[in-house]
Amino acid sequence: MPIVFACAASHAPGMTAWTEAAPQEQRDKILGSYHKLGDMLAASKPDVLVVISVEHWANFFLNQMPTFCIGRAQYYDGPVEEWLKISKTRVPGDPALGAQLLDVCLNSGFDPAFSDELLFDHATMLPLHFLNPGMTVPVVPVIINTLTTPMPSPKRCFELGRVLGKALERQPRRIALIATGGLSHWPGEAKMGKINVAFDKQFLETLVNGKRALLAEYSHSAIDKEAGSGGHEIRTWIAVAGALEDWRASLLAYEPVHPWATGCGLVAFNP
Amino acid sequence: MSLYQLQKLIYDVNRNPERRDAYRADKAGFLSRYELTPGEQAAIADLDVRQLYSYGVHPLLLRPFTLLHRVSNEDYAKALAGLE
């Protein structure tokens, strides 16, 4: 069982940058669940973390925007945001596993970009802050473009997850898989602050209790309309769902946290 | 309309400390490095948040750019009120 643990969680920067703005009950639930995920992950004793993440103009711009990018760096520095209230840290990488995952993708119908130097923004640093305290476990990031159109379809993300999952299952080392992003939010938009609780709950219900392959059927336009520009990040969750189609998922918390302007969810997966 | 150049300017100021210093030291000189329409130049020079948003600047470029100019959440929301 080379994948030993998996989880998916939102990364609203308010969780660390303006924690106190949220009502105590909500922040206790969300941050408490993050710590619980951290404990579960530590108990699984992973050798490597594969983080399916996104970024927000930290590395890539419109001159070159990879649809998928796998990190092959020795280390990753972050966060880029001065205001996140997470100390600047160097996160160890795992270039060999990054290179292996690239090979697997290139032989399985995917052609991701690769990078030997990536910075982490809050999308990756915030979950690692809770899930990899001390940043002792090496990380391989898989970045999905959910920032700007055109983006990969949810179906492709699900299939990418399936390819990665199969490859990770064959690893001799213990792997933890982390997805980060969403749920509904409209960052920087005129609708900033809106949260679509009905969309978020439906998505979580399908993930936890439904037929997981249905997640691949979400359309770009439906996500855009119902979950906002930030909602596109659920593609990372959909990728992990593709990797672990048969694993049980359990919902640790869901809260629409208005001061953090995000529908915040945390889910653990078990074999 | 040169949305790419407009967003490139904003990205450079947001992400590159040297470019940010140059922008702060000489805004007019900095603007001339990019191929912008007069309207786009004015929107940057005046920090016209509503106009920049209407031109199609990506919200996650625009919001950090306005944060560098200490625009509060309330003022940002007010500038965009009624837009899609």
Side-chain angles (χ1 to χ4, degrees):
Chain A
M1 43 172 248
I3 300 180
V4 292
F5 181 70
C7 62
S10 306
H11 58 234
M15 290 181 188
T16 54
W18 47 95
T19 313
E20 307 298 317
Q24 182 154 9
E25 196 182 331
Q26 286 195 314
R27 64 177 194 253
D28 286 352
K29 273 190 193 159
I30 295 298
L31 301 185
S33 297
Y34 242 128
H35 287 296
K36 200 180 284 180
L37 281 181
D39 292 344
M40 293 161 99
L41 188 143
S44 76
K45 300 193 185 337
D47 300 313
V48 192
L49 309 178
V50 174
V51 185
I52 302 183
S53 189
V54 302
E55 65 134 49
H56 313 80
W57 308 112
N59 301 281
F60 308 126
F61 184 60
L62 295 163
N63 57 341
Q64 42 204 1
M65 178 60 66
T67 297
F68 301 112
C69 179
I70 296 182
R72 210 177 52 170
Q74 295 282 353
Y75 58 80
Y76 304 90
D77 288 337
V80 300
E81 298 92 343
E82 305 289 337
W83 44 263
L84 192 60
K85 298 190 183 160
I86 292 176
S87 320
K88 293 228 180 274
T89 314
R90 180 157 287 183
V91 183
D94 188 329
L97 181 59
Q100 277 183 45
L101 293 181
L102 279 159
D103 278 342
V104 165
C105 285
L106 292 167
N107 288 305
S108 308
F110 279 89
D111 308 284
F114 58 89
S115 174
D116 290 0
E117 183 179 10
L118 283 171
L119 299 171
F120 284 167
D121 68 20
H122 69 272
T124 307
M125 284 307 282
L126 190 140
L128 289 180
H129 170 74
F130 293 103
L131 303 177
N132 193 16
M135 302 297 176
T136 50
V137 186
V139 169
V140 175
V142 177
I143 307 289
I144 301 179
N145 167 31
T146 65
L147 188 62
T148 187
T149 53
M151 301 173 193
S153 68
K155 189 181 285 295
R156 278 295 272 177
C157 296
F158 188 84
E159 284 164 9
L160 176 71
R162 193 175 268 167
V163 165
L164 294 174
K166 274 189 192 153
L168 294 172
E169 283 296 336
R170 291 196 296 270
Q171 278 287 316
R173 291 182 298 164
R174 301 172 68 82
I175 311 284
L177 192 53
I178 298 170
T180 167
L183 302 165
S184 66
H185 61 304
W186 280 256
E189 293 188 80
K191 290 179 189 153
M192 187 162 67
K194 179 177 169 178
I195 297 172
N196 186 342
V197 176
F199 175 92
D200 293 347
K201 289 196 164 166
Q202 176 66 53
F203 177 78
L204 291 168
E205 172 62 23
T206 307
L207 181 75
V208 173
N209 295 320
K211 192 164 168 248
R212 212 161 279 162
L214 287 175
L215 298 175
E217 304 304 320
Y218 274 93
S219 72
H220 174 87
S221 57
I223 298 172
D224 203 65
K225 182 162 173 272
E226 301 294 331
S229 59
H232 290 300
E233 295 171 348
I234 62 170
R235 284 165 170 81
T236 63
W237 295 52
I238 293 172
V240 165
L244 304 169
E245 212 172 334
D246 303 328
W247 285 33
R248 280 179 299 112
S250 53
L251 180 65
L252 273 68
Y254 171 74
E255 289 292 327
V257 186
H258 287 281
W260 300 342
T262 306
C264 298
L266 298 97
V267 165
F269 295 85
N270 290 292
Chain B
M1 190 64 193
S2 45
L3 181 58
Y4 176 72
Q5 290 283 324
L6 182 60
Q7 296 196 106
K8 187 176 170 187
L9 180 153
I10 292 174
Y11 172 75
D12 286 346
V13 172
N14 286 353
R15 294 287 301 120
N16 183 325
E18 286 166 23
R19 296 284 177 108
R20 192 180 313 148
D21 289 346
Y23 164 79
R24 283 176 171 154
D26 173 17
K27 211 186 249 194
F30 190 81
L31 285 172
S32 70
R33 297 193 205 176
Y34 297 83
E35 297 164 32
L36 302 177
T37 65
E40 289 162 347
Q41 287 191 5
I44 292 286
D46 302 339
L47 191 63
D48 186 339
V49 176
R50 192 177 182 84
Q51 185 61 259
L52 291 169
Y53 190 86
S54 300
Y55 281 144
V57 172
H58 191 284
L60 288 176
L61 290 169
L62 185 57
R63 185 62 188 121
F65 185 70
T66 60
L67 281 173
L68 284 175
H69 296 79
R70 301 181 188 284
V71 176
S72 69
N73 273 341
E74 292 72 25
D75 286 345
Y76 186 80
K78 205 184 293 174
L80 302 186
L83 295 178
E84 262 306 299

